[in-house]
C-alpha cells in the first residue's frame, strides 16, 4: 500500500531535491503534507460573466472582442484596450506592457480575461487582468473552482496547482489514513477525510463561496476538528510527560500555616480555601504541579500563593516568585515580607536594577539557601542565579507564556536544584480570566483553579461612559473627589506601542490637568521612568502625598492603593476589555464606593460602543472575557505570542470554538487508540517542532 505520509514529495514528477527544499519552507515534505496545504481562497473561473453583469470588487472571467488598443499618455503611460461582448464594453488597463503584448491585442481578436473589476475614470475597468487569446487550442473553462494557495519564494500558483493534481491522483488510490473512527465524529462532520481534502482542493462549480470563505463547509469543519484534536492531544502528551518527571513532595507544616493564618486580619474566603486544597494536593505529589490559578483582580490570589509557598518553606525548600514588572515585583515583595518575615522567614529580592554589591549579596543568599523565598522579575532566571533546593516557582501574570516557556522555566529551576533531577512545582497566576473554551485548548497541559469569589465587603465599581466632549465635567469630578480626601487615577492610552510616545501623551495630559486643576498634587508615571523613579512616584501616591496620578497603562497590574476611588480612562475604546477590566480593578480596593469613567473619543464605532457597554454591565471578569472573545478574538486575550504558537492550518480558535467540547470528548474516547493519537499529532504538528518537542 502506498502511504502518502511516507511518500516524499520528490516522488512527484518535476520535484527534485532543490525544489523539495523550497517546498519545505511551506512545511511540505511528503505528499500528504502537500494535500494538507489547503487553499487560502478560491477563484471562480468556471463560467464567463457578461461585461454588463460585472460587479466592482469581484473577480470574474470575461470574454469579448478587442475594439481598440491604444497607448495613452496620461499621468502615466498606459495601454488601454477596449473589449466588447454582447452585453457591453469595458476598459482593460496595463501600465507595464511590451510591444509584443500590444500587438497581441489586435482589433477583432477574441480575448479571455480574468481579473477584478474596479471603478475607473471611464466606468468599470480591469487593471492588469490575466489575458489569453481565444483560439483553437484554448482550454475549456474548468469545472471546478481554482484554488489559491499560500506560497513562498520560488513556488508559483501554477506549479503548486500542477503538483496538487498529481497528489490528488495518488489520493484517488488511497494512501491517506482515516485516523478518526467515524462514530466519534459529530453527525454533520462524518465526511471521509479523502473526500474532504479533494473537495477543498477542487470545489465544484456553483458551490457556496461565502460558506467556504467563512470556513463553515462540512469538509472544512471535518478537517478543523481533526486539527484541533491533534493540538489537544499534543498538550495531553505534554501533561503525560509530566507524569514521568519527579518533583519534591511538599507536605503541610500545620503549625507554620496556623501561625500565618492567625496573624491575618481576615479569614480565607470559601473559594480561597477550595483552591488552597487543590494546590495542596498537587504539592503533596511526587509529580510537578503545573497549575493555572485564575481569579479576578483583588480576588486574593497572592494570599493563596503565600500559603503554597509556606508548604515548600515548611519542608526546608526554597520558593521563587516571579512578576513581569518591577512595580509588581516590588508589591509582591512588600506583601510577602509583611506576611512571612514575622514568621522568621527570610525573603530575598532580585531585579535587573539592583546595584552590583546588593546584587552579589542577594545572589549569595539565594545560593546558600539563607533566602527561603525570592521575589523578582525575569532577572530570576538569568544563568548566574543559583537556587538552593528550589521546590516551587510562582509566576504572576504570565498566562501569555506558551507551553515551551512554561517547561523551560521549570527546567531552569531544576538544573540548579540540589536534589538531582527533581523539578520544581509551578503555579501560574493570572487576573485575566480565560474563557473556558480557550483554557481547554490553549492550556490543556495545565490544571486550572479558579477563585470565583471576592473577599467580603468589596464595593462594586460604578462604571460610566462619557464622551471626550464633556472632558471639563470629568475634570470637575476629579476636583470633587480630591476635595473629599480621595485619590484618583487618570490613565492615558495610545495605540502606538512606543513607550516614548505614550510617555509624551501622558505628559501633555498631566500638564493640561495641572493647568485646570490648580492646587492639586499631580504626579506622572510612565514606562520611560527609571524603575526607582517609578517606585518613588508610586510610593508617594500610596502614602497619600499625591492626589492625582496621571499614568500610562503601566499601572495595569498589581498596584494596590485603597484610598484611590476614582479612575478616568481616556480613549478606552483603544484597549481590550480584559485590559480595561484590569485597569479598573485598581480602584475599589478599599471599602469606599468607587467610580470608573470611560472617557471615550468620538465618533465611537459600533464595536467600540458594544465593548464599553459590556464593561459597564459586567463586573465579573469571566463574563467580560467571554465578551472580549466574541468581539475581538482569542489573540487579544492570549496575546500575539500565544496565538503565534498555536497557529492552526485550517482551524480558527474563535470561529471553531464551538468544536472544542467535541474535541475534548473525542480525546477522552477509548475508541481512539494509541497509534491513532500518535499519528494525528504527527500529521498535524510534525512540522511544528516547538510544540511537538514540548
Ligand atoms: P489579587 O492578587 O488576586 O488581585 P490580592 O491577593 O492582591 O488579589 O488581594 C487583594 C486584597 O485583598 C489584598 O489587600 C489582600 O490582603 C486582601 N484579601 C485577600 N484575601 C482576603 C480575604 N479572604 N478577606 C479579606 N481580604 C482579603
Ligand atoms: Mg495580584
Amino acid at each position: 500500500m502506498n502511504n502518502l505520509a511516507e511518500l516524499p514529495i520528490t516522488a512527484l514528477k518535476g520535484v527534485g531535491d532543490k525544489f523539495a527544499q523550497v517546498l519545505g519552507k511551506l512545511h511540505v515534505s511528503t505528499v500528504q503534507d502537500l494535500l494538507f496545504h489547503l487553499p487560502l481562497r478560491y477563484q471562480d473561473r468556471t463560467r464567463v460573466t457578461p461585461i454588463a453583469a460585472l460587479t466592482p470588487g469581484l473577480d470574474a472571467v470575461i470574454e469579448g472582442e478587442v475594439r481598440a488598443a491604444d497607448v495613452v499618455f496620461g499621468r502615466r503611460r498606459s495601454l488601454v484596450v477596449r473589449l466588447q461582448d454582447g452585453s457591453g464594453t469595458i476598459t482593460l488597463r496595463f501600465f507595464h506592457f511590451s510591444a509584443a503584448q500590444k500587438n497581441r491585442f489586435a482589433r477583432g481578436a477574441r480575448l479571455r480575461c480574468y481579473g477584478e473589476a474596479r471603478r475607473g475614470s471611464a466606468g468599470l475597468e480591469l487593471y492588469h487582468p490575466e489575458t489569453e487569446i481565444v483560439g483553437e487550442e484554448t482550454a475549456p473553462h474548468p469545472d471546478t473552482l481554482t484554488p489559491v494557495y499560500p506560497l513562498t519564494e520560488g513556488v508559483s500558483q501554477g506549479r503548486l496547482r500542477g503538483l496538487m493534481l498529481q497528489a490528488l491522483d495518488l489520493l484517488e488510490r488511497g494512501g491517506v489514513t482515516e485516523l478518526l473512527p467515524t462514530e466519534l465524529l459529530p453527525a454533520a462532520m462524518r465526511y471521509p477525510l479523502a473526500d474532504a481534502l479533494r473537495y477543498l482542493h477542487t470545489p465544484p462549480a456553483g458551490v457556496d463561496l461565502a460558506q467556504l470563505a467563512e470556513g463553515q463547509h462540512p469538509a472544512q469543519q471535518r478537517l478543523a476538528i481533526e486539527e484541533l484534536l491533534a493540538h489537544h492531544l499534543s498538550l495531553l502528551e505534554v501533561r503525560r510527560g509530566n507524569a514521568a518527571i519527579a518533583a519534591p513532595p511538599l507536605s503541610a507544616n500545620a503549625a507554620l500555616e496556623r501561625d500565618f493564618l492567625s496573624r491575618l486580619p481576615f479569614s480565607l474566603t470559601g473559594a480561597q480555601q477550595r483552591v488552597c486544597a487543590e494546590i495542596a494536593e498537587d504539592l503533596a505529589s511526587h509529580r510537578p504541579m503545573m497549575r493555572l490559578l485564575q481569579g479576578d483582580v483583588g480576588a486574593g490570589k497572592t494570599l493563596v500563593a503565600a500559603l503554597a509557598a509556606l508548604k515548600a518553606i515548611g519542608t526546608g525548600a526554597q520558593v521563587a516568585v516571579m512578576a513581569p514588572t518591577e512595580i509588581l515585583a516590588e508589591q509582591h515583595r512588600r506583601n510577602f515580607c509583611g506576611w512571612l518575615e514575622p514568621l522568621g522567614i527570610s525573603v530575598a529580592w532580585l531585579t535587573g536594577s539592583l546595584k552590583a554589591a546588593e546584587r552579589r549579596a542577594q545572589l549569595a543568599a539565594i545560593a546558600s539557601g539563607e533566602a527561603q523565598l525570592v521575589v523578582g522579575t525575569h532577572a530570576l532566571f538569568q544563568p548566574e542565579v543559583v537556587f538552593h533546593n528550589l521546590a516551587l516557582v510562582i509566576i504572576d501574570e504570565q498566562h501569555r507564556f506558551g507551553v515551551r516557556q512554561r517547561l523551560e522555566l521549570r527546567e531552569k529551576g531544576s538544573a540548579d536544584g540540589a536534589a538531582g533531577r527533581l523539578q520544581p512545582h509551578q503555579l501560574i497566576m493570572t487576573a485575566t480570566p480565560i474563557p473556558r473554551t480557550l483554557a481547554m485548548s490553549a492550556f490543556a497541559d495545565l490544571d486550572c483553579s479558579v477563585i470565583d469569589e471576592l473577599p467580603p465587603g468589596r464595593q462594586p465599581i460604578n462604571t460610566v461612559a462619557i464622551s471626550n466632549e464633556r472632558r471639563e465635567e470629568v475634570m470637575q469630578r476629579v476636583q470633587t473627589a480630591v476635595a473629599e480626601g480621595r485619590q484618583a487615577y487618570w490613565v492615558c492610552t495610545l495605540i502606538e506601542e512606543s513607550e516614548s510616545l505614550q510617555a509624551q501623551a501622558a505628559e501633555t495630559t498631566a500638564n493640561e490637568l495641572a493647568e485646570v486643576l490648580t492646587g492639586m498634587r499631580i504626579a506622572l508615571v510612565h514606562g520611560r521612568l527609571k524603575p526607582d523613579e517609578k517606585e518613588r512616584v508610586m510610593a508617594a501616591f500610596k502614602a497619600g502625598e499625591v492626589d492625582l496620578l496621571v499614568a500610562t497603562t503601566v499601572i495595569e497590574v498589581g498596584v494596590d492603593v485603597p484610598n484611590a476611588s476614582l479612575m478616568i480612562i481616556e480613549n478606552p475604546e483603544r484597549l481590550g476589555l480584559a485590559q480595561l477590566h484590569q485597569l479598573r480593578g485598581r480602584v475599589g480596593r478599599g471599602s469606599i464606593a468607587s467610580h470608573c469613567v470611560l472617557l471615550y473619543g468620538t465618533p465611537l464605532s459600533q464595536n467600540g460602543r458594544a465593548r464599553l457597554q459590556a464593561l459597564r454591565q459586567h463586573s465579573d471578569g469571566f463574563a467580560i472575557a467571554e465578551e472580549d472573545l466574541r468581539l475581538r478574538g482569542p489573540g487579544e486575550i492570549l496575546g500575539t505570542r500565544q496565538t503565534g504558537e498555536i497557529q492552526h492550518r485550517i482551524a480558527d480558535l474563535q470561529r471553531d470554538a464551538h468544536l472544542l467540547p467535541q474535541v475534548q470528548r473525542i480525546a477522552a474516547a477509548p475508541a481512539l487508540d494509541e497509534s491513532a493519537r500518535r499519528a494525528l499529532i504527527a500529521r498535524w504538528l510534525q512540522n511544528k517542532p516547538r510544540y511537538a518537542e514540548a
Side-chain angles (χ1 to χ4, degrees), residues 301-302 332 396:
K301 295 182 292 296
T302 322
H332 279 316
D396 196 16

Side-chain angles (χ1 to χ4, degrees), residues 298 301-302 328 331-332 396-397 429 431 558 586 589:
K301 295 182 292 296
T302 322
L328 196 53
Q331 187 160 297
H332 279 316
D396 196 16
E397 294 303 340
M429 301 194 282
R586 298 303 110 221
R589 313 279 290 183

Side-chain angles (χ1 to χ4, degrees), residues 81-103:
V81 178
R82 295 292 290 168
L83 195 73
Q84 186 177 46
D85 70 1
S87 74
T89 312
I90 192 167
T91 299
L92 318 178
R93 201 178 285 273
F94 302 85
F95 292 109
H96 313 282
F97 56 93
S98 62
Q101 231 173 342
K102 175 177 185 295
N103 294 336

Side-chain angles (χ1 to χ4, degrees), residues 184-189 214-229 232 437-438 440-441 650-667:
L184 289 185
L185 282 168
M189 276 168 240
E214 284 157 19
Q216 297 302 337
H217 191 279
Q220 290 166 310
Q221 296 274 292
R222 164 66 182 77
L223 290 175
I225 201 168
E226 184 172 317
E227 181 175 29
L228 290 171
L229 177 66
H232 189 70
T437 47
L438 267 189
M440 287 190 319
S441 53
I650 175 153
D652 174 325
L653 266 187
Q654 183 181 21
R655 184 190 71 201
D656 302 325
H658 66 282
L659 297 177
L660 291 170
Q662 311 271 17
V663 165
Q664 283 221 311
R665 192 179 48 73
I666 299 174

Side-chain angles (χ1 to χ4, degrees), residues 266-269 272 295-304 331-332 335 339 396-397 429 431 451 455-456 458 558 560 586 589:
F266 47 74
S267 48
L268 298 186
T269 63
Q272 282 172 320
D296 223 333
V297 264
K301 295 182 292 296
T302 322
L303 195 74
V304 169
Q331 187 160 297
H332 279 316
N335 276 331
W339 285 328
D396 196 16
E397 294 303 340
M429 301 194 282
I451 306 183
R458 292 281 162 79
D560 198 357
R586 298 303 110 221
R589 313 279 290 183

Side-chain angles (χ1 to χ4, degrees), residues 454-476:
L454 291 180
R458 292 281 162 79
Q459 296 265 357
I461 303 161
N462 173 29
T463 302
V464 294
I466 296 179
S467 134
N468 197 23
E469 285 150 21
R470 292 163 59 196
R471 200 178 173 83
E472 299 279 318
E473 240 173 88
V474 173
M475 291 191 207
Q476 214 42 58

